[in-house]
Amino acid sequence: HSADAHFIVMMIPHHEGAIAMAELALQRSRRPEIRGLAERIRTSQSQENAQMRRWYRQWYGSDVPTWPGQGMGMRGGMGMGGMGMGMPGFSTSLDSLRTAPDFDRAFLVQMIAHHRMGVMMASHAQWGTVHPELRELEAAMVRVQSEEIEQMARWYQQWFGTANR
């Protein structure tokens, strides 16, 4: 299978992780800024997943395969089971976010780290990507998530008085 297929198979569950965190933020955050960001992440990454699923069907004639342990779905807190993406215990971080005493602070720390991983994946993938429309999407992911990282880092500085870099 091509680099394109591999990227899609890896990125969809990564996006689902961000969507699960964003949904938690919509329930738990008291800050309108974070709720606004969470809404944008949920919307854009859900749309990107739908787009990647359509392309996958079009290009490879089947649905995107799921990873072992992913069957429960992100909403079940299953996180990145069996992803081998340098994100072991993602479900634990979702649990720790659920119970974090300072939700907004924990959310920013985790979402910045999660976005950094996404930016790294998408920027590496661009080199091997065959389909120009997927390369464009990867470039957009890098751009948008990098902007969101900067925004979250500014809020972290503003609200908690220390840099989270």
Side-chain angles (χ1 to χ4, degrees):
H1 247 357
S2 75
D4 297 21
H6 182 71
F7 175 77
I8 290 173
V9 168
M10 298 290 271
M11 191 48 90
I12 286 177
H14 191 260
H15 270 18
E16 284 173 350
I19 292 164
M21 287 163 70
E23 287 178 342
L24 205 51
L26 290 169
Q27 296 160 25
R28 287 208 58 200
S29 178
R30 299 211 177 95
R31 295 180 201 263
E33 299 92 334
I34 286 190
R35 287 199 304 272
L37 174 68
E39 193 56 69
R40 286 193 301 280
I41 289 171
R42 183 171 70 169
T43 302
S44 66
Q45 298 205 6
S46 298
Q47 286 167 348
E48 287 169 1
N49 274 359
Q51 179 64 72
M52 287 188 287
R53 287 181 199 283
R54 281 194 299 274
W55 284 337
Y56 195 94
R57 271 194 297 273
Q58 198 181 320
W59 298 337
Y60 308 108
S62 69
D63 285 334
V64 177
T66 53
W67 288 80
Q70 206 194 319
M72 289 167 66
M74 299 302 295
R75 311 271 181 309
M78 234 331 274
M80 298 303 196
M83 283 296 293
M85 243 175 44
M87 295 189 63
F90 187 78
S91 54
T92 345
S93 71
L94 202 56
D95 290 338
S96 74
L97 195 54
R98 227 175 243 122
T99 56
D102 187 340
F103 177 84
D104 290 346
R105 186 175 195 148
F107 175 82
L108 289 176
V109 169
Q110 288 195 29
M111 190 58 90
I112 287 171
H114 194 269
H115 266 26
R116 281 201 183 121
M117 173 68 77
V119 166
M120 195 180 80
M121 289 164 67
S123 53
H124 283 300
Q126 284 177 290
W127 298 105
T129 298
V130 180
H131 296 89
E133 57 271 56
L134 182 61
R135 198 173 311 119
E136 261 171 54
L137 180 64
E138 289 161 351
M141 283 177 193
V142 169
R143 192 173 59 248
V144 169
Q145 293 192 32
S146 296
E147 284 164 12
E148 290 173 349
I149 289 167
E150 286 307 308
Q151 176 65 77
M152 289 187 284
R154 280 195 300 274
W155 287 338
Y156 195 92
Q157 177 75 53
Q158 226 175 303
W159 298 335
F160 307 111
T162 53
N164 174 54
R165 288 281 172 193

